[in-house]
């Protein structure tokens, strides 16, 4: 292969990554895990933690320096498409009928991990924060990273366990929806603080981001609704082109503002009309390419940045890794379960909600990569947080199954969620 032409190497790396992720996802699914666990493990295995440690030459051959920018860009395109799909599937209508308990549980599942994460970050700032990063962005980022819930993975677990249509599943989805919106708003603040050169710059970035969000909600959303009403005259290919162009332009806008392109793709998904046949068909086609073909390149991109061997050389690093995992589980699982129990839910259901909210999955990896790219966290802390994301995601399915051993699509009989009285505000 010519060093000047990266195409042959790319044509080797891409199918290897796709097939490896598909195979690992299928294997882990047989053990009751969501496929994302296998995909995260594949990314780590192909990185310096295993392949680069066992055979550095093989890793260099599979991922030569000339190919990495291309795999990274392809993975980012898959990630932008995925974030659009997350926004499209984020239905705050799930709050109807039980908004108060959902808000209370989601707040408990956010506030405790935010507080514990901030305390942990203050303790690790002197040792693990990169040179030059401010204390406030570092503390806020770790706090947000501790409070993430993977909305798409949670939905997949609920479907696999036969809980999606149950009261428990509805409550968990409502809480995760609120968490997702809150976490992305907080992360936008962190990105603005980390990217800005001064408090005035950060305030300007935040104001521009809010103005853009308002523009999307109150100007673009009605335009899309009118366009969707006439989309029956357009063929499916044109609808798909329009959606991908829209998410790309929205991502470009937020990237120019300074709050990362992913926010734009997510926001475009939020304002895109739901339920229309052509939009659903186009979204399914986009998912069919982005998730199995492009997104695995993002997992490998993450795996190449994850170096477990670097932690092995220093026992203190493993102590910090254990602290990260402990705070993450105690904050998210404990906070959500405690809030659910305080709202009158039975212990079994409260612990099930806590376990589901503790699932971090791909959403956590997205957040961590943003932090690493901004320089808010360093490689060592990035590796610790990736391991935390993997472990918390992997324990979700077994925990939910253990807490709900008799639940399947036909026998789910959890107590109903009390319907909240209409708010007067």
């Amino acid at each position: 292969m010519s060093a000047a032409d990266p195409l042959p190497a790319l044509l080797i790396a891409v199918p290897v990554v796709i097939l490896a992720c598909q195979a690992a996802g299928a294997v882990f699914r047989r053990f009751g895990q969501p496929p994302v666990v296998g995909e995260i493990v594949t990314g780590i295995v192909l990185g310096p933690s295993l392949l680069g440690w066992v055979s550095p030459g093989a890793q260099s051959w599979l991922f030569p320096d000339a190919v990495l920018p291309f795999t990274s860009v392809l993975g980012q395109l898959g990630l932008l498409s995925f974030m659009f799909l997350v926004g499209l599937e984020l239905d705050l209508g799930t709050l109807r009928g039980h908004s108060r308990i959902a808000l209370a549980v989601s707040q408990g599942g956010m506030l405790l991990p935010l507080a514990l994460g901030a305390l942990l970050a203050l303790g690790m700032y002197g040792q693990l924060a990169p040179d030059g990063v401010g204390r406030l962005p570092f503390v806020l980022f770790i706090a947000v990273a501790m409070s993430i819930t993977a909305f798409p993975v949670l939905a997949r677990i609920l479907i696999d366990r036969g809980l999606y249509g149950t009261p428990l599943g509805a409550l968990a989805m409502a809480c995760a929806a609120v968490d997702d919106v809150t976490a992305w708003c907080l992360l936008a603040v962190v990105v603005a603080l980390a990217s800005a050169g001064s408090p005035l710059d950060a305030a300007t970035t935040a104001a521009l981001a809010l103005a853009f969000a308002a523009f999307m909600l109150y100007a673009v959303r009605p335009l899309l609704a009118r366009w969707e009403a006439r989309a029956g005259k357009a063929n499916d290919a044109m609808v798909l082109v329009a959606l991908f162009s829209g998410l790309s332009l929205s991502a470009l806008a937020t990237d120019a503002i300074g709050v990362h392109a992913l926010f734009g793709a997510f926001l475009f998904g939020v304002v895109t009309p739901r339920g229309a046949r052509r939009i659903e068909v186009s979204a399914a086609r986009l998912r069919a390419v982005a998730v199995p073909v492009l997104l695995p390149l993002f997992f490998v991109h993450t795996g190449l940045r994850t170096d477990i061997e670097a932690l092995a050389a220093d026992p203190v690093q493993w102590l910090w890794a254990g602290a990260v995992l402990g705070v993450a589980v105690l904050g998210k699982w404990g906070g959500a379960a405690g809030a659910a129990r305080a709202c009158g839910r039975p212990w079994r259901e409260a612990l099930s909600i806590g376990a589901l909210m503790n699932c971090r999955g791909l959403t956590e990896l997205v957040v961590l990569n943003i932090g690493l790219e901004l320089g808010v966290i360093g490689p060592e802390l990035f590796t610790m947080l990736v391991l935390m994301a993997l472990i918390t995601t992997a324990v979700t399915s077994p925990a939910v199954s253990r807490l709900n051993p008799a639940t399947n699509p036909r026998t789910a009989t959890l107590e109903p969620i009390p319907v909240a009285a209409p708010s007067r505000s």
Side-chain angles (χ1 to χ4, degrees):
M1 290 181 292
S2 171
D5 182 11
L7 182 59
L10 186 65
L11 295 177
I12 293 173
V14 170
V16 167
V17 169
I18 293 172
L19 293 172
C21 283
Q22 287 294 311
V27 169
F28 275 79
R29 179 178 282 281
R30 291 181 67 86
F31 289 97
Q33 291 289 344
V36 69
V37 175
E39 292 166 338
I40 296 173
V41 170
T42 300
I44 294 174
V45 166
L46 293 177
S49 298
L50 185 59
L51 181 61
W53 175 58
V54 173
S55 178
Q59 187 195 33
S60 298
W61 177 82
L62 183 58
F63 301 111
D65 292 340
V67 125
L68 293 180
F70 297 95
T71 57
S72 176
V73 168
L74 290 172
Q76 290 297 319
L77 285 175
L79 192 56
L80 288 172
S81 301
F82 176 79
M83 291 307 300
F84 162 76
L85 293 168
V86 171
L88 184 64
E89 295 169 1
L90 185 63
D91 184 10
L92 295 180
T94 55
L95 293 174
R96 294 192 188 101
H98 47 270
S99 58
R100 291 183 179 177
I101 186 172
L103 288 172
V105 173
S106 63
Q107 287 172 0
M110 288 291 294
L111 293 177
L112 185 58
L114 283 171
L116 294 179
L119 291 174
L120 177 66
L122 288 172
M124 63 172 55
Y125 177 76
Q127 297 186 43
L128 293 175
D131 295 336
V133 66
R135 187 185 299 270
L136 181 59
F138 180 80
V139 170
L140 286 177
F141 180 83
I142 298 301
V144 172
M146 293 293 109
S147 61
I148 293 295
T149 293
F151 183 84
V153 180
L154 183 148
R156 182 73 257 171
I157 290 173
L158 289 172
I159 292 170
D160 289 345
R161 300 269 108 27
L163 293 167
Y164 191 82
T166 67
L168 171 63
L171 178 57
M173 290 296 289
C175 295
V178 175
D179 268 18
D180 251 22
V181 173
T182 306
W184 284 109
C185 291
L186 291 174
L187 185 60
V189 173
V190 175
V191 173
L193 287 171
S195 303
S198 67
L200 179 60
D201 291 338
T204 302
T205 299
L208 289 173
L210 287 173
F212 180 74
F215 170 75
M216 293 293 288
L217 289 170
Y218 297 109
V220 175
R221 188 172 189 171
L223 288 175
L224 287 174
R226 287 197 290 271
W227 169 75
E228 178 270 322
R230 301 171 183 170
K233 301 177 182 178
N235 59 50
D236 291 343
M238 288 305 299
V239 174
L240 177 58
V241 168
L243 291 180
F244 188 79
S245 299
L247 77 89
S248 298
L249 292 173
S250 182
L252 177 64
T254 54
D255 185 64
I257 289 171
V259 291
H260 207 282
L262 293 174
F263 293 100
F266 174 76
L267 189 55
F268 187 75
V270 170
V271 303
T272 298
R274 296 166 178 81
R277 188 195 70 81
R278 291 189 182 274
I279 288 180
E280 296 294 338
V281 168
S282 296
R285 289 180 174 178
L286 183 61
R287 176 183 294 279
V289 174
V291 174
V293 177
L294 297 178
L295 206 53
L297 297 171
F298 170 74
F299 288 111
V300 169
H301 181 65
T302 301
L304 291 172
R305 294 172 158 187
T306 304
D307 190 358
I308 299 175
E309 184 187 5
L311 298 184
D314 186 356
V316 175
Q317 302 279 36
W318 284 109
L319 293 177
W320 281 118
V324 166
L325 179 61
V327 167
V329 174
L330 177 62
K332 198 67 182 179
W333 196 336
R341 180 59 182 160
C343 289
R345 308 315 299 161
W347 268 116
R348 177 172 64 85
E349 186 177 337
L351 290 172
S352 297
I353 292 171
L356 289 164
M357 299 296 285
N358 190 47
C359 176
R360 281 155 172 103
L362 175 59
T363 309
E364 182 76 42
L365 299 189
V366 174
V367 171
L368 299 183
N369 276 276
I370 291 175
L372 187 63
E373 290 164 6
L374 291 172
V376 178
I377 58 174
E380 295 85 3
L381 185 51
F382 177 82
T383 298
M384 297 177 195
L385 291 166
V386 168
L387 291 176
M388 178 271 290
L390 174 62
I391 294 170
T392 54
T393 305
V395 301
T396 302
S397 283
V400 172
S401 296
R402 185 69 179 268
L403 289 164
N404 302 275
T407 302
N408 61 51
R410 296 181 177 82
T411 62
T413 55
L414 293 176
E415 297 181 27
I417 299 171
V419 177
S423 174
R424 295 180 182 270
S425 58

